[in-house]
């Protein structure tokens, strides 16, 4: 056995990292040139399997007009949402009604939170996930096979949001504004998806699918050895839908037909992820159609 491996105590290293309350950003600020062993991903997990994704065109749905009551446009959008949800489980939406300056300010607010002084951020650092406002690095730090090169700030903004005073001042106003905008868009998307399932437009909202909202703000500091680790390992989202706001750097991939396909950063777009609970609804509906 390798001497270094025999001396490696993962649990101790994880706790030491957690106890700093500085996250991955703290390692970068300290000038690390080699990533700690806890971040090294298992063999092959960092390899890109999308040998040729030019054959795939990630679906983009233009929502322009549907809010104004254009029924022909709405029918086209419903069909596109149905197809993308069935075949991909993902799509991008543009002209969705959220102003670009709100999206840009949200990205600046997330970056501002994570790049502020560690001593300020520490007051929100916790692993008590019952709290409405949480900052830490890797929610599954002590159970995952490898630690992701990522810090996260998140807050529960519905149905029982924190008071404004509980939110970090540096991004307080934009989180409140962004949450309001996303809830409106989410309700519209649930209506479209219900129609795509052949249900009454209000079916999913009547089930209270749009009542909850968690705002999750990931931050991926520059990594000295990016070939050894991942910012986010492969996973599926729980809940009903995820609306994801990308910056212009890229790196997001989705699994489609056994290929990891790049999701191109598109200015002003949001990525819609049909999450686990809604996929159950989709499969159940398709089964009903198949056997009816």
């Amino acid at each position: 056995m390798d001497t270094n491996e025999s001396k490696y105590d993962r649990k101790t290293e994880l706790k030491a990292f957690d106890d700093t309350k500085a996250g991955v950003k703290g390692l970068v600020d300290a000038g690390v040139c080699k990533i700690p062993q806890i971040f090294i991903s298992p063999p092959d997990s960092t390899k890109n399997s999308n040998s040729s994704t030019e054959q795939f065109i990630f679906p983009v749905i233009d929502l322009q007009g549907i809010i104004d009551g254009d029924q022909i446009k709405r029918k086209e959008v419903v069909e596109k949402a149905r197809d993308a949800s069935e075949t991909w489980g993902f799509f991008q939406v543009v002209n969705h009604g959220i102003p670009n300056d709100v999206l840009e300010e949200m990205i600046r607010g997330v970056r501002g939170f994570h790049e502020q002084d560690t001593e300020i951020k520490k007051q929100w650092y916790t692993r008590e996930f019952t709290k409405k406002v949480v900052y830490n690095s890797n929610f599954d730090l002590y159970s995952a096979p490898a630690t992701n090169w990522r810090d996260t700030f998140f807050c529960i903004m519905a149905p029982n949001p924190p008071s404004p005073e509980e939110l970090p001042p540096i991004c307080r106003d934009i989180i409140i504004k962004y949450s309001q905008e996303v809830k409106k868009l989410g309700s519209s998307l649930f209506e479209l998806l219900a129609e795509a399932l052949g249900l009454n437009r209000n079916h999913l909202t009547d089930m209270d699918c749009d009542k909850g909202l968690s705002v999750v703000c990931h931050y991926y500091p520059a990594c000295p050895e990016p070939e050894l680790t991942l910012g986010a390992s492969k996973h599926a989202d729980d809940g009903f839908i995820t609306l994801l706001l990308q910056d212009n750097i890229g790196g997001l991939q989705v699994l489609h037909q056994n290929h990891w396909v790049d999701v191109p950063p598109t200015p002003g777009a949001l990525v819609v992820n049909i999450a686990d609970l809604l996929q159950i609804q989709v499969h159940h509906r398709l089964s009903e159609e198949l056997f009816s």
Side-chain angles (χ1 to χ4, degrees), residues 38-50:
I38 58 172
F39 292 95
I40 297 177
S41 296
D44 296 328
S45 66
T46 57
K47 289 183 178 178
N48 190 330
S49 60
N50 61 339

Side-chain angles (χ1 to χ4, degrees), residues 107-179:
I107 291 175
R108 288 195 299 270
V110 172
R111 187 177 295 121
F113 172 84
H114 286 285
E115 293 181 354
Q116 64 186 331
D117 188 271
T118 299
E119 290 304 311
I120 298 175
K121 290 186 291 185
K122 278 184 178 180
Q123 62 187 295
W124 290 282
Y125 197 96
T126 181
R127 296 210 172 269
E128 295 180 29
F129 292 101
T130 55
K131 293 191 173 182
K132 293 181 181 178
V133 182
V134 171
Y135 156 62
N136 61 39
S137 185
N138 288 256
F139 73 94
D140 55 355
L141 182 69
Y142 292 100
S143 59
T147 307
N148 287 158
W149 194 260
R150 178 188 74 232
D151 296 332
T152 302
F153 161 72
F154 76 89
C155 45
I156 307 299
M157 295 301 292
N160 300 306
S163 66
E165 293 73 27
E166 293 177 88
L167 294 167
I170 197 168
C171 54
R172 175 183 298 155
D173 292 343
I174 187 56
I175 284 179
I176 294 172
K177 176 63 176 174
Y178 181 76
S179 299

